[in-house]
């Protein structure tokens, strides 16, 4: 158990809809990262938050947004969903600095129909 | 542009033998490399890492080798066990361990 909790585990929705994925980081970790894994692809970095502030941005679509709340949990909002957004979405957390490794949750599998 | 490449999608090894998983990278700014293991329906789990100032790092049955001039790293698992059967991802970062760039993974199957 990595200590990172993601909900829901599965999500099925229709094109054009909006969904919210939730992540609770490990206790003590201030940094949260979101990654997307499409079929047979590596994990693609989307965005990082540190203590409530956006720290780094990757290949995140404008239809996607994220935030980190004062209690350090994070939400990833995906809107105007398209079939191609179907993927596994992973959240990870870490203690920033000293090359500390990321600890991943078990992911949310999003299916857009 | 795939900056981290794992050219072997799958690998099958007998129990007790050595498993060697390979990874190539193109970005010379990468200075920290990690291997993650992933079981089905679970998130990736950190396995071992190496900084660019080293060329080898060992942790029990797992050893990572880094060849900076060739921009190549490898993960050796000795001896391989059935529980090692999983997908292994190579990842790299520049400057810190955040914003990792992942390879597409190699599925390792350890057979009896």
């Amino acid at each position: 158990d990595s200590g990172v909790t993601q909900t829901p585990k599965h999500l099925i929705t229709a094109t054009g809809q909006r969904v919210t994925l939730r992540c609770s980081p490990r206790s003590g970790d201030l940094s949260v990262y979101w990654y997307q894994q499409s079929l047979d692809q590596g994990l693609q970095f989307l965005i990082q938050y540190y203590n409530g502030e956006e720290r780094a941005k990757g290949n995140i679509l404008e239809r996607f947004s994220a935030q980190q709340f004062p209690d350090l949990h994070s939400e990833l909002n995906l809107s105007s969903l398209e079939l191609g957004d179907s993927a596994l979405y992973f959240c990870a957390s870490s203690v920033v600095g000293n090359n500390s490794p990321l600890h991943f949750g078990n992911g949310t599998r999003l299916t857009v129909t | 542009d795939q900056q981290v490449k794992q050219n072997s999608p799958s690998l099958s090894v007998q129990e007790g033998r050595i498993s060697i998983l390979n990874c190539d990278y193109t970005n010379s700014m990468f200075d920290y490399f990690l291997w993650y293991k992933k079981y089905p329906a679970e998130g990736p789990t950190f396995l071992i890492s190496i900084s660019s100032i080293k060329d080898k790092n060992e942790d029990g049955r797992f050893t990572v080798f880094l060849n900076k001039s060739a921009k190549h790293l490898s993960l050796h698992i000795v001896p391989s066990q059935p529980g090692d059967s999983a997908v292994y991802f190579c990842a790299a970062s520049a400057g810190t361990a955040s914003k990792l760039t992942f390879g597409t993974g190699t599925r390792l199957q350890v057979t009896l």
Side-chain angles (χ1 to χ4, degrees), chain A residues 33 35 37 40-45 48 56-58 88 90 94 97-107, chain B residues 2 31-32 34 36 38 41-46 49 51 89 93 95-105:
Chain A
Y33 312 77
Y35 282 81
Q37 185 186 21
D40 294 333
Q41 298 294 310
L43 283 77
Q44 300 292 322
F45 171 72
Q48 176 199 358
K57 222 169 185 176
L88 267 168
F90 288 103
S94 77
N98 297 322
N99 282 333
S100 53
L102 274 60
H103 298 270
F104 285 83
N106 287 338
Chain B
Q2 193 72 19
D31 59 1
Y32 186 63
L34 307 90
Y36 280 82
K38 185 182 181 302
E42 294 183 12
T45 302
F46 169 70
S49 64
S51 163
F89 290 98
S93 71
T96 73
S98 65
K99 199 176 179 180
L100 295 176
T101 301
F102 281 83
T104 52

Side-chain angles (χ1 to χ4, degrees), chain A residues 11-73:
Chain A
L11 203 47
I12 302 174
T13 189
T15 54
Q17 295 298 304
R18 173 189 169 95
V19 296
T20 297
L21 313 184
R22 182 187 168 103
C23 170
S24 294
R26 288 190 322 161
S27 176
D29 286 355
L30 298 179
S31 211
V32 169
Y33 312 77
W34 287 97
Y35 282 81
Q36 178 194 56
Q37 185 186 21
S38 301
L39 190 63
D40 294 333
Q41 298 294 310
L43 283 77
Q44 300 292 322
F45 171 72
L46 294 178
I47 198 164
Q48 176 199 358
Y49 278 82
Y50 175 74
N51 203 21
E53 300 289 326
E54 182 183 303
R55 175 65 69 93
K57 222 169 185 176
N59 299 323
I60 187 166
L61 300 172
E62 283 191 17
R63 300 183 285 108
F64 296 1
S65 65
Q67 57 186 115
Q68 187 179 26
F69 294 87
D71 67 352
L72 300 178
H73 91 271

Side-chain angles (χ1 to χ4, degrees), chain B residues 32-62:
Chain B
Y32 186 63
F33 305 88
L34 307 90
W35 285 93
Y36 280 82
K37 178 170 74 172
K38 185 182 181 302
Y39 293 118
E42 294 183 12
T45 302
F46 169 70
L47 199 54
I48 192 168
S49 64
I50 187 166
S51 163
S52 61
I53 62 173
K54 293 185 172 183
D55 54 19
K56 177 182 173 182
N57 189 27
E58 274 184 87
D59 184 1
R61 295 185 298 115
F62 303 93

Side-chain angles (χ1 to χ4, degrees), chain A residues 13-19 63 78-82 85 110 112:
Chain A
T13 189
T15 54
Q17 295 298 304
R18 173 189 169 95
V19 296
R63 300 183 285 108
L78 315 176
S79 61
S80 303
L81 285 168
E82 301 175 0
D85 297 328
L110 173 66
V112 183

